[in-house]
Amino acid sequence: MAVVPQAQQVESQGIPAPIQGIVATGIYSGGSASGIASEGSIGVDSAIWLYNMIAGEYACRVRPGSRDIVAGIPDNDGPDGQVRTILYYNSTVAGGIQDFIFALTSSGIYDVTSGGAGPWVPNITWPNTGGNAGWASAINYTNVAGDQYLLVCDEQNGYYIFDGTTWAPGTFTGTTVPLAVNLVHIEEWNGRIWLIERDTATIWFLDPLALTGDITAFNVGNRFKEGGHLVQSSTWTLDAGDGMDDKFIMISSGGDVLVWEGIDPTAPATIRLVGRWTVGSVAEGRRVLSDWGGDVTILSTAGAISVANLLQGTVDTAARASTAFITRGINQYIRAEMQQTLDVYGWSLQLNEPQGIAIISVPQPVGSTRAPIQFVLDIASKSWSMFRDLDIVCQGKRDEQYVFGTSDGRIVELTGTVDKVDINGDGATGIVFSLLTHYSGVNSPAHWKRFHFCRPYWIGPAEPSFDLQMRYDFDIAELNTAPAFQLGGASSWDSAIWDESLWDGTAQGYLETIGVNGMGRHAAIAIRGTATNELSYVGADVIFQRGGML
């Protein structure tokens, strides 16, 4: 009697890495288990969670590490204070030999250019310490004589000028002048310095090319449909077909955005309002407008949107989830965070060009003990992920490199492959990463599937350390354990012990077939690991049996 061969019952399916990043508009990718998701849709190449990884063009790579470059900066409460602002005095002298790095805390301004652990003595001790002192805005400004200045407005102490040697408060003349201590934000537009007065809808401007002297008020409160005070101003340069033009952007605490154009604010015929929109309430502080290449972004409770999209009329108030929003895939996460921290200083958006990312810093909710988080955009792929375990209070640049200030008196550079490297090069820890892909019905969403194996693919110089589980039917719990890490670093030839010492190599592919269990109609992959080397996740194969519908 002839033997009838059994039909193949085990199937396999490839699932790509979530290179589309976090897409928080749902958790189900549909029936398809492969292919690139179209713009704005959910595919299995996107994630529900993606922590400490960057969704890039071909893989999800573990974020850079962190290394202290300054420590021990004091504030009004003690020796390891909260660093609220990092300022860079960029001298006209090439080579950086006359540049300065300043850290601002609630106690004063500190020159930390030399780096290290101090001790640090303030260049200026604030007249008004504590409170919101140290939260500041600043611009570098060169006058016609070629003299370079750093102009600063502190939230609690007002307007200060640094001339490359000394600091001094700004002074004004005229019939009606503001108190310098009440000027809380600074911007330059068309050769004039503009200064916002605290708790008003008034912005003051100086004469062209002047840093002090005669000052004039410009009140815009009658333009704010949502009310509130003037929060921040910024400039935006564009060519609308009639030559280059600088627009002047203002935003209120109620979310009213004003866009002006013109030359001379003292001559009403030469300055006009060209746009007015409402984008949602903005967080406390004056860092909700950010440079975005050739554009300006606005960060509000509705998400982050570019002024270009506003001006082109691509957004209306009835479509908050419009594709015009840069943060469209993570808006619900931003809204959830802002509901807890709208009145807390620390929200900001900073481009990090050398690493090809942009970072939205998120202040810690009052009394929270959770790990700090940040929202991160890969600029090339326009994909979002989240960082955590980085104590980012403020963001800045040092020699064009991204740095951040912490709650315990440090300035930290985002670099290397391990975290928490102190100024002596000690204390390194591995970077714990985690992801959960979107759910897939694996081409038959109504059928039960029993999964047997999962085979993830990695690229790196050493074998990765991770745990993996399959998740079923919309369980979005994160894996809560990760294997202990081994600190990387190449061993030395002729001194290391073969079969015992660690060896680093060039990047290569790694795969491991891992047994999994469980069954469901829909499946996702959860991974959590610890990295001490450059590491990228490329995707995985799953091996399963398909069952019936009931």
Side-chain angles (χ1 to χ4, degrees), residues 166-379:
T166 59
W167 288 88
T171 57
F172 308 108
T173 58
T175 305
T176 302
V177 299
L179 295 175
V181 71
N182 290 334
L183 300 177
V184 293
H185 185 270
I186 187 168
E187 188 55 77
E188 179 274 333
W189 181 45
N190 283 340
R192 295 178 185 266
I193 302 301
W194 294 71
L195 303 135
I196 294 175
E197 185 176 1
R198 181 190 301 111
D199 296 331
T200 72
T202 299
I203 186 168
W204 298 76
F205 59 88
L206 291 161
D207 290 342
L209 305 178
L211 308 183
T212 59
D214 290 344
I215 191 167
T216 306
F218 188 81
N219 190 285
V220 295
N222 64 325
R223 306 287 188 171
F224 292 159
K225 294 188 295 183
E226 300 297 323
H229 61 273
L230 185 56
V231 170
Q232 189 178 352
S233 63
S234 185
T235 59
W236 175 37
T237 303
L238 76 160
D239 187 345
D242 54 356
M244 298 302 293
D245 185 24
D246 275 354
K247 310 292 186 185
F248 196 39
I249 304 164
M250 303 175 185
I251 189 166
S252 75
S253 56
D256 287 307
V257 178
L258 309 179
V259 178
W260 301 83
E261 68 178 15
I263 300 173
D264 185 359
T266 65
T270 68
I271 185 169
R272 68 188 186 98
L273 184 66
V274 296
R276 179 173 64 177
W277 301 269
T278 299
V279 295
S281 298
V282 298
E284 195 65 73
R286 304 181 193 277
R287 297 172 183 173
V288 295
L289 298 178
S290 304
D291 288 336
W292 189 261
D295 203 347
V296 173
T297 59
I298 304 167
L299 184 60
S300 73
T301 51
I305 186 170
S306 76
V307 174
N309 283 336
L310 286 176
L311 198 61
Q312 293 167 7
T314 57
V315 179
D316 59 67
T317 55
R320 295 298 189 190
S322 164
T323 56
F325 280 88
I326 298 167
T327 52
R328 59 189 175 274
I330 58 167
N331 273 348
Q332 67 166 289
Y333 292 159
I334 289 180
R335 290 195 298 269
E337 291 298 325
M338 279 202 173
Q339 286 175 0
Q340 302 180 71
T341 60
L342 197 63
D343 296 328
V344 182
Y345 284 74
W347 283 94
S348 68
L349 191 156
Q350 176 77 48
L351 283 175
N352 177 357
E353 295 93 339
Q355 293 169 337
I357 58 176
I359 300 175
I360 297 177
S361 62
V362 180
Q364 281 283 81
V366 176
S368 174
T369 58
R370 72 166 191 197
I373 64 168
Q374 298 82 36
F375 299 107
V376 181
L377 176 72
D378 181 85
I379 296 170

